[in-house]
Amino acid sequence: MTAYDAIVLAGGAAKRLGGADKPAVRVGGRPLLDRVLGACADAATTVVVGGRRPTTRAVTWTREEPQGGGPLAALGAGVRHTSAERVLVLSADLPFLGESTVEALLAAAGHGGRDGALCVDQDGRDQPLVAVYRAEPLRRELALLATEHGGLAGLPLRLLTHELGLARVEAGPLASFDCDTWEDIATARARIREHGTVLDEWITAVKNELGIELDVDTGVLLDLARDAAHGVARPAAPLTTFLVGYAAAKAGDGGGGPEAVAEAARKAAALALRWADEAETP
């Protein structure tokens, strides 16, 4: 992936949430801020502009001047801590932002001499806080705006984006979904429980909570659980998958990875099938 730094804007008064600490509001058991940080885990440097709070990975903290000065002031404060040629800029309230959208923005920003690329929502509206900017024109325009207006506080983002040549990226329907109201929060919480996504959301949340950075084939584990439940007994399913994880962790003196999980699952599944065969053999 192209080298980049990330700036996450986590300030603001959240007036439509009654002044709640929006980045800390949980969706799927995880704070909104942590969900956004997960989408830019490959960033060389991640700067969060806002009040300090616990996060699942290390970040650089800073604040805009004055506090509450708006997104351009926050962006100006954050860019001072970056050094990469491309800067990913995100708001901290994007529960469904994924790595694929980040990759698409980085790719689009690197073509045709553009100054960057931003996400376009389903209604065709630009989303300048789901965007990648080339650092040099970004710094230049921020400096010009600050000189022209005597500072960046209170200025709208469109003053910046109108001066930059940006590619438009049509991402997935939920990539730029943000949570401004409690209704938005309720919608996001309901969506992650929909069939087809709930398991991935749950596994990601568990790995996040336990500090595990391991990609495994959940289909293999689910097949194993089914075989153990059918061929042995229902309680065998969770116990067997636990033992597979334990065996994978011990493989290679604690260096077990996805391959170790797959191998342990294969052995356990074969055993479950043999167990079932014996029960069915006259």
Side-chain angles (χ1 to χ4, degrees):
M1 179 181 288
T2 304
Y4 71 97
D5 290 336
I7 300 173
V8 180
L9 307 190
K15 293 181 180 179
R16 286 190 281 175
L17 288 177
D21 182 10
K22 183 163 64 170
V25 173
R26 295 180 180 273
V27 172
R30 302 164 61 201
L32 284 170
L33 176 56
D34 279 341
R35 297 180 71 90
V36 173
L37 291 177
C40 58
D42 291 331
T45 297
T46 301
V47 183
V48 178
V49 187
R52 296 174 67 90
R53 51 176 57 82
T55 54
T56 55
R57 66 181 181 88
V59 300
T60 299
W61 295 95
T62 190
R63 293 302 300 263
E64 72 275 24
E65 292 292 342
Q67 292 185 21
L72 271 186
L75 188 52
V79 78
R80 299 189 191 104
H81 298 273
T82 65
S83 58
E85 293 183 2
R86 289 181 174 85
V87 180
L88 172 70
V89 176
L90 303 170
S91 60
D93 60 350
L94 302 165
F96 303 112
L97 180 71
E99 293 181 6
S100 60
T101 299
V102 172
E103 293 172 0
L105 289 169
L106 287 167
H111 291 297
R114 298 283 190 174
D115 294 327
L118 52 73
C119 199
V120 177
D121 67 18
Q122 285 189 302
D123 296 322
R125 293 173 298 196
D126 289 349
Q127 300 296 321
L129 297 184
V130 190
V132 170
Y133 300 95
R134 286 178 49 226
E136 189 278 326
L138 175 62
R139 294 175 190 275
R140 181 190 67 230
E141 293 303 327
L142 286 172
L144 289 173
L145 286 171
T147 299
E148 181 180 353
H149 296 275
L152 296 173
L155 298 182
L157 271 170
R158 66 176 180 272
L159 294 180
L160 172 69
T161 56
H162 284 178
E163 298 299 326
L164 297 174
L166 302 173
R168 267 64 182 175
V169 174
E170 295 184 6
L174 295 178
S176 61
F177 179 91
D178 57 0
C179 295
D180 290 327
T181 67
W182 286 114
E183 182 179 0
D184 294 335
I185 296 292
T187 298
R189 288 172 170 170
R191 281 186 180 276
I192 67 167
R193 287 169 170 78
E194 291 178 352
H195 179 71
T197 61
V198 65
L199 275 181
D200 287 339
E201 285 285 351
W202 170 247
I203 294 300
T204 299
V206 171
K207 291 192 295 186
N208 181 271
E209 189 73 15
L210 299 179
I212 299 172
E213 296 183 6
L214 177 65
D215 291 325
V216 297
D217 188 339
T218 55
V220 169
L221 295 179
L222 289 173
D223 288 345
L224 167 61
R226 179 202 61 209
D227 292 340
H230 174 75
V232 184
R234 284 191 178 183
L239 292 172
T240 304
T241 52
F242 164 77
L243 291 172
V244 163
Y246 182 77
K250 290 183 66 67
D253 295 326
E259 297 81 6
V261 174
E263 177 62 14
R266 184 193 64 78
K267 291 180 179 179
L271 174 62
L273 292 176
R274 293 199 303 270
W275 189 290
D277 286 343
E278 290 180 9
E280 295 171 1
T281 301

